[in-house]
mmCIF file of all heavy atoms in Angstrom:
data_model
loop_
_atom_site.group_PDB
_atom_site.id
_atom_site.type_symbol
_atom_site.label_atom_id
_atom_site.label_comp_id
_atom_site.label_asym_id
_atom_site.label_seq_id
_atom_site.Cartn_x
_atom_site.Cartn_y
_atom_site.Cartn_z
ATOM 1 N N ILE D 832 0.843 -1.183 0.000
ATOM 2 C CA ILE D 832 0.001 0.000 0.000
ATOM 3 C C ILE D 832 0.890 1.249 -0.001
ATOM 4 O O ILE D 832 2.086 1.172 0.287
ATOM 5 C CB ILE D 832 -0.933 -0.009 1.221
ATOM 6 C CG1 ILE D 832 -0.111 -0.020 2.517
ATOM 7 C CG2 ILE D 832 -1.873 -1.215 1.168
ATOM 8 C CD1 ILE D 832 -0.941 0.052 3.796
ATOM 9 N N PRO D 833 0.355 2.434 -0.323
ATOM 10 C CA PRO D 833 1.187 3.648 -0.353
ATOM 11 C C PRO D 833 1.933 3.913 0.947
ATOM 12 O O PRO D 833 3.056 4.435 0.911
ATOM 13 C CB PRO D 833 0.167 4.755 -0.656
ATOM 14 C CG PRO D 833 -0.896 4.065 -1.451
ATOM 15 C CD PRO D 833 -1.012 2.698 -0.828
ATOM 16 N N ALA D 834 1.376 3.558 2.074
ATOM 17 C CA ALA D 834 2.055 3.799 3.345
ATOM 18 C C ALA D 834 3.196 2.819 3.590
ATOM 19 O O ALA D 834 4.075 3.084 4.419
ATOM 20 C CB ALA D 834 1.040 3.707 4.502
ATOM 21 N N ALA D 835 3.217 1.700 2.895
ATOM 22 C CA ALA D 835 4.290 0.703 3.020
ATOM 23 C C ALA D 835 4.501 0.069 1.654
ATOM 24 O O ALA D 835 4.166 -1.095 1.432
ATOM 25 C CB ALA D 835 3.919 -0.345 4.071
ATOM 26 N N PRO D 836 5.093 0.816 0.711
ATOM 27 C CA PRO D 836 5.150 0.354 -0.681
ATOM 28 C C PRO D 836 6.182 -0.752 -0.895
ATOM 29 O O PRO D 836 7.125 -0.926 -0.121
ATOM 30 C CB PRO D 836 5.551 1.622 -1.438
ATOM 31 C CG PRO D 836 6.353 2.402 -0.445
ATOM 32 C CD PRO D 836 5.707 2.150 0.884
ATOM 33 N N THR D 837 5.995 -1.471 -1.966
ATOM 34 C CA THR D 837 7.021 -2.389 -2.462
ATOM 35 C C THR D 837 7.882 -1.571 -3.425
ATOM 36 O O THR D 837 7.387 -1.052 -4.423
ATOM 37 C CB THR D 837 6.376 -3.566 -3.216
ATOM 38 O OG1 THR D 837 5.392 -4.180 -2.377
ATOM 39 C CG2 THR D 837 7.421 -4.587 -3.609
ATOM 40 N N TYR D 838 9.159 -1.432 -3.127
ATOM 41 C CA TYR D 838 10.016 -0.506 -3.875
ATOM 42 C C TYR D 838 10.397 -1.074 -5.241
ATOM 43 O O TYR D 838 10.722 -2.254 -5.378
ATOM 44 C CB TYR D 838 11.268 -0.184 -3.069
ATOM 45 C CG TYR D 838 10.967 0.663 -1.848
ATOM 46 C CD1 TYR D 838 10.778 0.069 -0.605
ATOM 47 C CD2 TYR D 838 10.828 2.042 -1.964
ATOM 48 C CE1 TYR D 838 10.485 0.841 0.512
ATOM 49 C CE2 TYR D 838 10.532 2.825 -0.850
ATOM 50 C CZ TYR D 838 10.355 2.212 0.381
ATOM 51 O OH TYR D 838 10.050 2.983 1.484
ATOM 52 N N ASN D 839 10.334 -0.181 -6.220
ATOM 53 C CA ASN D 839 10.718 -0.576 -7.573
ATOM 54 C C ASN D 839 12.231 -0.868 -7.624
ATOM 55 O O ASN D 839 13.036 -0.286 -6.908
ATOM 56 C CB ASN D 839 10.391 0.529 -8.577
ATOM 57 C CG ASN D 839 8.908 0.729 -8.757
ATOM 58 O OD1 ASN D 839 8.090 -0.098 -8.339
ATOM 59 N ND2 ASN D 839 8.523 1.831 -9.386
ATOM 60 N N GLY D 840 12.606 -1.760 -8.531
ATOM 61 C CA GLY D 840 14.016 -2.113 -8.691
ATOM 62 C C GLY D 840 14.173 -3.600 -8.949
ATOM 63 O O GLY D 840 13.179 -4.345 -9.023
ATOM 64 N N THR D 841 15.397 -4.026 -9.085
ATOM 65 C CA THR D 841 15.707 -5.440 -9.299
ATOM 66 C C THR D 841 16.629 -5.914 -8.189
ATOM 67 O O THR D 841 17.655 -5.272 -7.907
ATOM 68 C CB THR D 841 16.378 -5.654 -10.665
ATOM 69 O OG1 THR D 841 15.475 -5.239 -11.705
ATOM 70 C CG2 THR D 841 16.743 -7.120 -10.867
ATOM 71 N N TYR D 842 16.300 -7.043 -7.594
ATOM 72 C CA TYR D 842 17.022 -7.540 -6.424
ATOM 73 C C TYR D 842 17.159 -9.062 -6.494
ATOM 74 O O TYR D 842 16.272 -9.751 -7.006
ATOM 75 C CB TYR D 842 16.267 -7.162 -5.141
ATOM 76 C CG TYR D 842 15.749 -5.734 -5.120
ATOM 77 C CD1 TYR D 842 14.427 -5.454 -5.494
ATOM 78 C CD2 TYR D 842 16.568 -4.684 -4.741
ATOM 79 C CE1 TYR D 842 13.940 -4.157 -5.481
ATOM 80 C CE2 TYR D 842 16.093 -3.381 -4.720
ATOM 81 C CZ TYR D 842 14.779 -3.115 -5.099
ATOM 82 O OH TYR D 842 14.297 -1.814 -5.085
ATOM 83 N N PRO D 843 18.253 -9.608 -5.945
ATOM 84 C CA PRO D 843 18.406 -11.068 -5.910
ATOM 85 C C PRO D 843 17.823 -11.666 -4.627
ATOM 86 O O PRO D 843 17.879 -11.059 -3.559
ATOM 87 C CB PRO D 843 19.934 -11.249 -5.935
ATOM 88 C CG PRO D 843 20.453 -10.026 -5.244
ATOM 89 C CD PRO D 843 19.491 -8.907 -5.562
ATOM 90 N N VAL D 844 17.247 -12.830 -4.754
ATOM 91 C CA VAL D 844 16.744 -13.537 -3.575
ATOM 92 C C VAL D 844 17.919 -13.866 -2.648
ATOM 93 O O VAL D 844 18.930 -14.433 -3.080
ATOM 94 C CB VAL D 844 16.016 -14.831 -3.990
ATOM 95 C CG1 VAL D 844 15.671 -15.686 -2.766
ATOM 96 C CG2 VAL D 844 14.752 -14.493 -4.778
ATOM 97 N N TYR D 845 17.768 -13.507 -1.358
ATOM 98 C CA TYR D 845 18.874 -13.725 -0.411
ATOM 99 C C TYR D 845 18.513 -14.624 0.771
ATOM 100 O O TYR D 845 19.373 -15.038 1.535
ATOM 101 C CB TYR D 845 19.411 -12.389 0.103
ATOM 102 C CG TYR D 845 18.462 -11.656 1.032
ATOM 103 C CD1 TYR D 845 18.469 -11.882 2.406
ATOM 104 C CD2 TYR D 845 17.555 -10.728 0.522
ATOM 105 C CE1 TYR D 845 17.605 -11.210 3.259
ATOM 106 C CE2 TYR D 845 16.690 -10.056 1.359
ATOM 107 C CZ TYR D 845 16.721 -10.290 2.737
ATOM 108 O OH TYR D 845 15.843 -9.626 3.573
ATOM 109 N N GLU D 846 17.208 -14.920 0.920
ATOM 110 C CA GLU D 846 16.787 -15.793 2.021
ATOM 111 C C GLU D 846 15.522 -16.521 1.620
ATOM 112 O O GLU D 846 14.648 -15.960 0.943
ATOM 113 C CB GLU D 846 16.553 -14.971 3.289
ATOM 114 C CG GLU D 846 16.118 -15.777 4.512
ATOM 115 C CD GLU D 846 17.164 -16.766 4.988
ATOM 116 O OE1 GLU D 846 17.303 -17.820 4.310
ATOM 117 O OE2 GLU D 846 17.832 -16.502 6.002
ATOM 118 N N ARG D 847 15.421 -17.792 2.042
ATOM 119 C CA ARG D 847 14.257 -18.604 1.698
ATOM 120 C C ARG D 847 13.822 -19.381 2.949
ATOM 121 O O ARG D 847 14.636 -19.995 3.627
ATOM 122 C CB ARG D 847 14.582 -19.586 0.579
ATOM 123 C CG ARG D 847 15.045 -18.926 -0.701
ATOM 124 C CD ARG D 847 15.467 -19.935 -1.754
ATOM 125 N NE ARG D 847 14.316 -20.617 -2.357
ATOM 126 C CZ ARG D 847 14.052 -21.917 -2.255
ATOM 127 N NH1 ARG D 847 14.850 -22.715 -1.549
ATOM 128 N NH2 ARG D 847 12.980 -22.433 -2.846
ATOM 129 N N LEU D 848 12.524 -19.336 3.233
ATOM 130 C CA LEU D 848 11.971 -20.034 4.397
ATOM 131 C C LEU D 848 10.654 -20.687 3.994
ATOM 132 O O LEU D 848 9.767 -20.019 3.431
ATOM 133 C CB LEU D 848 11.718 -19.053 5.548
ATOM 134 C CG LEU D 848 12.947 -18.312 6.100
ATOM 135 C CD1 LEU D 848 12.518 -17.184 7.023
ATOM 136 C CD2 LEU D 848 13.873 -19.276 6.813
ATOM 137 N N PRO D 849 10.487 -21.963 4.271
ATOM 138 C CA PRO D 849 9.215 -22.601 3.933
ATOM 139 C C PRO D 849 8.057 -22.113 4.804
ATOM 140 O O PRO D 849 6.894 -22.122 4.380
ATOM 141 C CB PRO D 849 9.483 -24.087 4.156
ATOM 142 C CG PRO D 849 10.624 -24.122 5.123
ATOM 143 C CD PRO D 849 11.448 -22.923 4.838
ATOM 144 N N PHE D 850 8.375 -21.680 6.025
ATOM 145 C CA PHE D 850 7.331 -21.196 6.947
ATOM 146 C C PHE D 850 7.956 -20.167 7.883
ATOM 147 O O PHE D 850 9.123 -20.279 8.268
ATOM 148 C CB PHE D 850 6.741 -22.337 7.769
ATOM 149 C CG PHE D 850 5.759 -21.873 8.801
ATOM 150 C CD1 PHE D 850 4.436 -21.613 8.460
ATOM 151 C CD2 PHE D 850 6.159 -21.673 10.126
ATOM 152 C CE1 PHE D 850 3.523 -21.173 9.411
ATOM 153 C CE2 PHE D 850 5.248 -21.242 11.078
ATOM 154 C CZ PHE D 850 3.933 -20.983 10.725
ATOM 155 N N GLN D 851 7.159 -19.181 8.260
ATOM 156 C CA GLN D 851 7.662 -18.147 9.157
ATOM 157 C C GLN D 851 6.491 -17.423 9.818
ATOM 158 O O GLN D 851 5.427 -17.264 9.213
ATOM 159 C CB GLN D 851 8.510 -17.134 8.374
ATOM 160 C CG GLN D 851 9.080 -16.015 9.230
ATOM 161 C CD GLN D 851 9.762 -14.946 8.388
ATOM 162 O OE1 GLN D 851 9.476 -14.801 7.194
ATOM 163 N NE2 GLN D 851 10.654 -14.175 8.998
ATOM 164 N N ILE D 852 6.722 -17.004 11.061
ATOM 165 C CA ILE D 852 5.822 -16.046 11.698
ATOM 166 C C ILE D 852 6.400 -14.676 11.381
ATOM 167 O O ILE D 852 7.424 -14.273 11.936
ATOM 168 C CB ILE D 852 5.728 -16.253 13.221
ATOM 169 C CG1 ILE D 852 5.213 -17.661 13.551
ATOM 170 C CG2 ILE D 852 4.825 -15.182 13.848
ATOM 171 C CD1 ILE D 852 3.807 -17.930 13.060
ATOM 172 N N MET D 853 5.774 -13.955 10.485
ATOM 173 C CA MET D 853 6.288 -12.659 10.049
ATOM 174 C C MET D 853 5.754 -11.578 10.981
ATOM 175 O O MET D 853 4.540 -11.435 11.148
ATOM 176 C CB MET D 853 5.863 -12.403 8.602
ATOM 177 C CG MET D 853 6.514 -11.185 7.977
ATOM 178 S SD MET D 853 6.119 -11.062 6.200
ATOM 179 C CE MET D 853 7.160 -12.346 5.516
ATOM 180 N N LYS D 854 6.691 -10.835 11.577
ATOM 181 C CA LYS D 854 6.325 -9.816 12.551
ATOM 182 C C LYS D 854 6.692 -8.436 12.048
ATOM 183 O O LYS D 854 7.656 -8.274 11.301
ATOM 184 C CB LYS D 854 7.016 -10.076 13.883
ATOM 185 C CG LYS D 854 6.659 -11.423 14.515
ATOM 186 C CD LYS D 854 7.420 -11.635 15.812
ATOM 187 C CE LYS D 854 7.066 -12.977 16.444
ATOM 188 N NZ LYS D 854 7.794 -13.208 17.715
ATOM 189 N N GLY D 855 5.897 -7.435 12.471
ATOM 190 C CA GLY D 855 6.193 -6.072 12.074
ATOM 191 C C GLY D 855 5.217 -5.101 12.692
ATOM 192 O O GLY D 855 4.456 -5.434 13.609
ATOM 193 N N THR D 856 5.267 -3.874 12.139
ATOM 194 C CA THR D 856 4.417 -2.809 12.662
ATOM 195 C C THR D 856 3.498 -2.308 11.557
ATOM 196 O O THR D 856 3.947 -2.002 10.444
ATOM 197 C CB THR D 856 5.273 -1.640 13.191
ATOM 198 O OG1 THR D 856 6.157 -2.121 14.197
ATOM 199 C CG2 THR D 856 4.392 -0.540 13.767
ATOM 200 N N ASN D 857 2.221 -2.188 11.866
ATOM 201 C CA ASN D 857 1.247 -1.656 10.920
ATOM 202 C C ASN D 857 1.377 -0.145 10.813
ATOM 203 O O ASN D 857 1.961 0.501 11.701
ATOM 204 C CB ASN D 857 -0.171 -2.011 11.373
ATOM 205 C CG ASN D 857 -0.442 -3.499 11.251
ATOM 206 O OD1 ASN D 857 -0.278 -4.081 10.170
ATOM 207 N ND2 ASN D 857 -0.870 -4.118 12.350
ATOM 208 N N PRO D 858 0.865 0.456 9.745
ATOM 209 C CA PRO D 858 0.943 1.911 9.607
ATOM 210 C C PRO D 858 0.312 2.676 10.772
ATOM 211 O O PRO D 858 0.732 3.805 11.071
ATOM 212 C CB PRO D 858 0.183 2.176 8.296
ATOM 213 C CG PRO D 858 0.347 0.914 7.510
ATOM 214 C CD PRO D 858 0.327 -0.174 8.534
ATOM 215 N N ASP D 859 -0.677 2.086 11.453
ATOM 216 C CA ASP D 859 -1.307 2.771 12.577
ATOM 217 C C ASP D 859 -0.533 2.585 13.876
ATOM 218 O O ASP D 859 -0.974 3.042 14.943
ATOM 219 C CB ASP D 859 -2.756 2.307 12.756
ATOM 220 C CG ASP D 859 -2.853 0.816 13.069
ATOM 221 O OD1 ASP D 859 -1.796 0.148 13.231
ATOM 222 O OD2 ASP D 859 -3.983 0.292 13.118
ATOM 223 N N GLY D 860 0.615 1.900 13.830
ATOM 224 C CA GLY D 860 1.442 1.706 15.018
ATOM 225 C C GLY D 860 1.206 0.402 15.729
ATOM 226 O O GLY D 860 1.986 0.035 16.624
ATOM 227 N N SER D 861 0.162 -0.313 15.382
ATOM 228 C CA SER D 861 -0.069 -1.620 15.996
ATOM 229 C C SER D 861 0.908 -2.643 15.422
ATOM 230 O O SER D 861 1.536 -2.416 14.379
ATOM 231 C CB SER D 861 -1.515 -2.070 15.759
ATOM 232 O OG SER D 861 -1.759 -2.203 14.372
ATOM 233 N N HIS D 862 1.055 -3.762 16.078
ATOM 234 C CA HIS D 862 2.007 -4.797 15.653
ATOM 235 C C HIS D 862 1.259 -6.019 15.125
ATOM 236 O O HIS D 862 0.116 -6.287 15.488
ATOM 237 C CB HIS D 862 2.897 -5.199 16.845
ATOM 238 C CG HIS D 862 3.698 -4.054 17.382
ATOM 239 N ND1 HIS D 862 4.822 -3.563 16.771
ATOM 240 C CD2 HIS D 862 3.508 -3.298 18.505
ATOM 241 C CE1 HIS D 862 5.315 -2.556 17.473
ATOM 242 N NE2 HIS D 862 4.526 -2.378 18.536
ATOM 243 N N TYR D 863 1.939 -6.731 14.274
ATOM 244 C CA TYR D 863 1.351 -7.954 13.723
ATOM 245 C C TYR D 863 2.359 -9.095 13.835
ATOM 246 O O TYR D 863 3.575 -8.890 13.899
ATOM 247 C CB TYR D 863 0.925 -7.760 12.266
ATOM 248 C CG TYR D 863 2.060 -7.500 11.298
ATOM 249 C CD1 TYR D 863 2.764 -8.551 10.712
ATOM 250 C CD2 TYR D 863 2.412 -6.184 10.958
ATOM 251 C CE1 TYR D 863 3.798 -8.308 9.825
ATOM 252 C CE2 TYR D 863 3.450 -5.948 10.061
ATOM 253 C CZ TYR D 863 4.133 -7.004 9.504
ATOM 254 O OH TYR D 863 5.159 -6.767 8.629
ATOM 255 N N ALA D 864 1.846 -10.306 13.849
ATOM 256 C CA ALA D 864 2.647 -11.537 13.835
ATOM 257 C C ALA D 864 1.826 -12.563 13.058
ATOM 258 O O ALA D 864 0.989 -13.267 13.639
ATOM 259 C CB ALA D 864 2.942 -12.007 15.247
ATOM 260 N N ASP D 865 2.102 -12.633 11.757
ATOM 261 C CA ASP D 865 1.285 -13.442 10.863
ATOM 262 C C ASP D 865 2.046 -14.669 10.376
ATOM 263 O O ASP D 865 3.214 -14.569 9.959
ATOM 264 C CB ASP D 865 0.855 -12.632 9.637
ATOM 265 C CG ASP D 865 -0.001 -11.432 10.012
ATOM 266 O OD1 ASP D 865 -0.791 -11.536 10.972
ATOM 267 O OD2 ASP D 865 0.147 -10.383 9.339
ATOM 268 N N PRO D 866 1.400 -15.834 10.376
ATOM 269 C CA PRO D 866 2.032 -17.025 9.795
ATOM 270 C C PRO D 866 1.983 -16.946 8.266
ATOM 271 O O PRO D 866 0.925 -16.670 7.689
ATOM 272 C CB PRO D 866 1.172 -18.179 10.328
ATOM 273 C CG PRO D 866 -0.162 -17.563 10.595
ATOM 274 C CD PRO D 866 0.092 -16.139 10.977
ATOM 275 N N VAL D 867 3.108 -17.164 7.652
ATOM 276 C CA VAL D 867 3.184 -17.125 6.190
ATOM 277 C C VAL D 867 3.957 -18.352 5.708
ATOM 278 O O VAL D 867 4.711 -18.980 6.465
ATOM 279 C CB VAL D 867 3.858 -15.839 5.674
ATOM 280 C CG1 VAL D 867 3.016 -14.613 6.017
ATOM 281 C CG2 VAL D 867 5.257 -15.679 6.263
ATOM 282 N N GLN D 868 3.813 -18.657 4.428
ATOM 283 C CA GLN D 868 4.496 -19.826 3.858
ATOM 284 C C GLN D 868 5.198 -19.449 2.550
ATOM 285 O O GLN D 868 4.887 -18.443 1.936
ATOM 286 C CB GLN D 868 3.474 -20.937 3.563
ATOM 287 C CG GLN D 868 2.731 -21.454 4.773
ATOM 288 C CD GLN D 868 1.715 -22.511 4.391
ATOM 289 O OE1 GLN D 868 2.032 -23.459 3.645
ATOM 290 N NE2 GLN D 868 0.495 -22.374 4.870
ATOM 291 N N ASN D 869 6.156 -20.342 2.177
ATOM 292 C CA ASN D 869 6.857 -20.220 0.892
ATOM 293 C C ASN D 869 7.466 -18.828 0.712
ATOM 294 O O ASN D 869 7.170 -18.104 -0.250
ATOM 295 C CB ASN D 869 5.896 -20.532 -0.263
ATOM 296 C CG ASN D 869 5.258 -21.906 -0.103
ATOM 297 O OD1 ASN D 869 5.917 -22.860 0.312
ATOM 298 N ND2 ASN D 869 3.971 -22.011 -0.416
ATOM 299 N N VAL D 870 8.356 -18.466 1.623
ATOM 300 C CA VAL D 870 8.885 -17.108 1.713
ATOM 301 C C VAL D 870 10.223 -17.020 0.976
ATOM 302 O O VAL D 870 11.169 -17.765 1.284
ATOM 303 C CB VAL D 870 9.072 -16.691 3.183
ATOM 304 C CG1 VAL D 870 9.501 -15.236 3.271
ATOM 305 C CG2 VAL D 870 7.781 -16.930 3.970
ATOM 306 N N SER D 871 10.314 -16.068 0.067
ATOM 307 C CA SER D 871 11.573 -15.785 -0.639
ATOM 308 C C SER D 871 11.858 -14.289 -0.517
ATOM 309 O O SER D 871 11.252 -13.463 -1.223
ATOM 310 C CB SER D 871 11.472 -16.171 -2.123
ATOM 311 O OG SER D 871 11.254 -17.565 -2.267
ATOM 312 N N TYR D 872 12.788 -13.926 0.393
ATOM 313 C CA TYR D 872 13.159 -12.524 0.594
ATOM 314 C C TYR D 872 14.072 -12.059 -0.537
ATOM 315 O O TYR D 872 15.023 -12.745 -0.929
ATOM 316 C CB TYR D 872 13.883 -12.347 1.932
ATOM 317 C CG TYR D 872 12.977 -12.354 3.131
ATOM 318 C CD1 TYR D 872 12.764 -13.522 3.860
ATOM 319 C CD2 TYR D 872 12.331 -11.186 3.536
ATOM 320 C CE1 TYR D 872 11.935 -13.529 4.978
ATOM 321 C CE2 TYR D 872 11.498 -11.180 4.655
ATOM 322 C CZ TYR D 872 11.297 -12.357 5.368
ATOM 323 O OH TYR D 872 10.460 -12.361 6.477
ATOM 324 N N PHE D 873 13.807 -10.834 -1.031
ATOM 325 C CA PHE D 873 14.630 -10.302 -2.114
ATOM 326 C C PHE D 873 15.124 -8.880 -1.855
ATOM 327 O O PHE D 873 16.077 -8.432 -2.494
ATOM 328 C CB PHE D 873 13.872 -10.356 -3.454
ATOM 329 C CG PHE D 873 12.570 -9.580 -3.461
ATOM 330 C CD1 PHE D 873 12.536 -8.235 -3.809
ATOM 331 C CD2 PHE D 873 11.370 -10.216 -3.138
ATOM 332 C CE1 PHE D 873 11.345 -7.520 -3.816
ATOM 333 C CE2 PHE D 873 10.168 -9.506 -3.162
ATOM 334 C CZ PHE D 873 10.151 -8.167 -3.489
ATOM 335 N N HIS D 874 14.499 -8.129 -0.945
ATOM 336 C CA HIS D 874 14.930 -6.750 -0.688
ATOM 337 C C HIS D 874 14.501 -6.340 0.712
ATOM 338 O O HIS D 874 13.321 -6.104 0.953
ATOM 339 C CB HIS D 874 14.307 -5.788 -1.712
ATOM 340 C CG HIS D 874 14.695 -4.357 -1.512
ATOM 341 N ND1 HIS D 874 13.790 -3.318 -1.554
ATOM 342 C CD2 HIS D 874 15.911 -3.782 -1.252
ATOM 343 C CE1 HIS D 874 14.423 -2.183 -1.341
ATOM 344 N NE2 HIS D 874 15.697 -2.433 -1.159
#
């Protein structure tokens, strides 16, 4: 979303996880901890 955009550019995959609890902060300041699968980090 505009408040947390995916940045344009080209990047190489540097980390791979089949499963993860992804944690972070929402734009309103609240926190999240979401289970996700098939994760390939690139930037």
Side-chain angles (χ1 to χ4, degrees):
I832 60 177
T837 307
Y838 291 96
N839 292 346
T841 299
Y842 316 96
V844 171
Y845 70 88
E846 180 64 284
R847 301 175 74 245
L848 299 168
F850 175 82
Q851 180 187 22
I852 300 297
M853 189 173 285
K854 300 178 180 180
T856 302
N857 291 305
D859 62 4
S861 62
H862 299 283
Y863 65 86
D865 298 325
V867 295
Q868 299 178 48
N869 304 321
V870 185
S871 297
Y872 283 96
F873 59 89
H874 180 225

